[in-house]
Amino acid sequence: MESLSFERGEAPRSSSLPDRKVSGILNPGSSHGGEAPVIVIGAGFAGASAALTLADAGRPVLLLEAAKAPGGRARSFPDPRSGRELDWGPHLFMKANPALREFLGRIGASASLRFEPSLDLTYRLADGAARGGVRNERLSFPARGGAPASLLALLRWRGPRLAARLSIARGLRRVLKEGPPAVESPAAESKNAGETVEQMLDRLGQGASEREWFWEPFSGAVLNMPAGEGSGELLRRVMCEAFGPGLAGASLGAPAEALGPFWADRALDAIRRAGGEVKMAAPVRRIRIEGGAVRGVTLSGGESIEASVVIAAVPPPALLRLLPAEAFGGKSPWRDLGRLRSASIATAYLWLDHPCPGPAYEALVAERWEWLFRPGAGGLKAGDLRTGEKEPDAPVAFLCGGADSLASAPRSEIESAAREAAGRLLPDFGLRRVLVVRERAATWANGAGEQAHRTAAETPVDGLILAGDWTATGLPATCEGAVRSGFRAAEAAQDPKGG
């Protein structure tokens, strides 16, 4: 059995797969009568959604990305050995993600993302008393029927004991009754400001079983942080947006293809069709600021490009490197950026000795790994998810995240843990190959103590606007939060004076 692992940025590109690089700049502003463009730095969800919105509005826009391929922290890479495109970390999306779904619709990606009619999740755990040594318990809520039908679904669920299931229902009802925290200033306006997930669950009377089977899978997926550090307010907002309108909003979906072709490539194509310009492998060395206002950017090769507005859609450390010292000098909001923390996500791709049919994703119980994915199965119809076989040589994937998790361990330990988990959770399969990849800074600013330090889109520098899932969106660092920040940044760029 082969083992291989690498960090993001080390993945080789395969000559057998199409090169997805985008052509360079032609002449910024040439198609808009010489008007200086809005420059967007970073081609992740935040930057791409901002650039597309501006291009659709007829504004000259130039999108610059340091990497050779778009996607930011939601990107994929070609695996030369299998000839497949793989994600740096498989993603789940929620139906209650209005901004993300709007953006995916605008770039033509909606057909590649299918949602279950309602929340439908299979849990997998090793159990020596179970047939084959593995239990699979399915929690499936009806799309209709209201509270009575939901209660019946909980009663039919054979995961935790009945008392725990009823406690979960009471806890969720209390969360929805409390409602979401204020968006504009969550830390200042909520009576539960600064509450961690653990404190929230203590207040809701949720025991160990309730947390293990229900709250921790959702909290881990949403916040990528331990319950003792993650923001209870952020989790409460997500739960209210997902479950508040009805259980259909909490349904999950996995893309039918890797993240690059699923959304990133389509987004750049849409930007170009709308009249925007893009350049990959174009790292920005400095944002040029003179007299308290943005003048443009300087690329790492020394080329200067004038700009009317600059939208910086990059993580906090990258942003600080782009700013001249005189622009921030330890003043707010720049000094707050250093208080935002990141967390890792690790993925182990496992090639098995024969096909492993099943759902596109499963929650793992009582394991160091948190999720099992079957890449590519997200495109099957709901009725096929549990019976359809995968494509030839398609791997399964284990995923985990968080600063205190296996994702932060040495890579040799991650590989060993993947093999051990496969022996427990997939006992009928032999391992042919293991590939471990890790995104060291996968998520930002999801801690309870960090919310007051997340900054708004507008900055004290005239013409400099921030975007990113780590900004003050009122949401965790998710794709939905990133897209909302991109829309907000584009709106600010079109009306920088607020009038």
Side-chain angles (χ1 to χ4, degrees), residues 146-364:
S150 301
L151 180 59
L152 182 60
L154 279 173
L155 294 176
R156 288 175 174 171
W157 182 31
R158 296 184 301 173
R161 293 182 180 274
L162 176 60
R165 284 176 264 159
L166 295 176
S167 177
I168 290 169
R170 289 192 297 269
L172 182 57
R173 185 168 61 247
R174 282 191 58 185
V175 167
L176 299 180
K177 184 177 180 180
E178 290 175 5
V183 177
E184 291 77 9
S185 183
E189 296 184 14
S190 172
K191 66 178 182 179
N192 297 312
E195 184 179 57
T196 66
V197 172
E198 186 172 50
Q199 290 169 337
M200 183 187 82
L201 296 179
D202 287 343
R203 180 169 56 80
L204 296 175
Q206 299 297 288
S209 184
E210 295 95 301
R211 299 179 194 215
E212 182 176 61
W213 283 89
F214 185 79
W215 297 100
E216 288 178 359
F218 283 95
S219 174
V222 167
L223 300 179
N224 195 37
M225 292 193 79
E229 299 177 15
S231 168
E233 289 188 296
L234 292 182
L235 180 61
R236 182 155 56 94
R237 171 164 289 282
V238 172
M239 300 298 278
C240 287
E241 291 195 3
F243 290 93
L247 290 169
S251 64
L252 303 173
E257 53 191 331
L259 291 169
F262 164 59
W263 85 268
D265 296 345
R266 286 184 168 109
L268 294 197
D269 288 342
I271 292 167
R272 297 168 73 191
R273 288 195 302 269
E277 295 179 281
V278 295
K279 182 168 179 134
M280 310 308 294
V284 174
R285 184 175 69 196
R286 188 74 67 191
I287 298 174
R288 291 173 31 234
I289 298 173
E290 299 174 8
V294 159
R295 302 302 178 192
V297 301
T298 301
L299 303 185
S300 59
E303 177 186 1
S304 291
I305 305 175
E306 300 297 318
S308 59
V309 174
V310 170
I311 296 176
V314 296
L319 174 61
L320 291 177
R321 289 193 295 268
L322 295 177
L323 294 171
E326 61 271 16
F328 56 97
K331 300 178 181 178
S332 182
W334 316 116
R335 67 186 176 202
D336 292 335
L337 299 184
R339 299 173 181 174
L340 304 180
R341 297 177 297 159
S342 64
S344 302
I345 288 179
T347 304
Y349 287 100
L350 311 174
W351 279 263
L352 307 175
D353 60 355
H354 60 279
C356 178
Y361 47 86
E362 297 178 4
L364 303 180

Side-chain angles (χ1 to χ4, degrees), residues 355-441:
C356 178
Y361 47 86
E362 297 178 4
L364 303 180
V365 180
E367 291 285 342
R368 299 179 73 185
W369 295 96
E370 298 162 3
W371 293 88
L372 182 150
F373 286 86
R374 293 176 175 84
L380 299 176
K381 295 180 180 179
D384 298 331
L385 287 177
R386 288 162 178 80
T387 57
E389 293 199 353
K390 304 180 305 166
E391 303 171 41
D393 207 33
V396 298
F398 289 149
L399 181 143
C400 66
D404 69 337
S405 74
L406 179 62
S408 299
R411 284 182 286 176
S412 59
E413 182 179 343
I414 298 175
E415 294 172 9
S416 296
R419 290 193 291 268
E420 293 168 1
R424 287 189 303 274
L425 299 169
L426 302 168
D428 297 331
F429 298 86
L431 274 178
R432 294 191 293 111
R433 182 186 175 208
V434 177
L435 172 65
V436 172
V437 296
R438 172 165 54 187
E439 177 71 74
R440 285 196 173 274

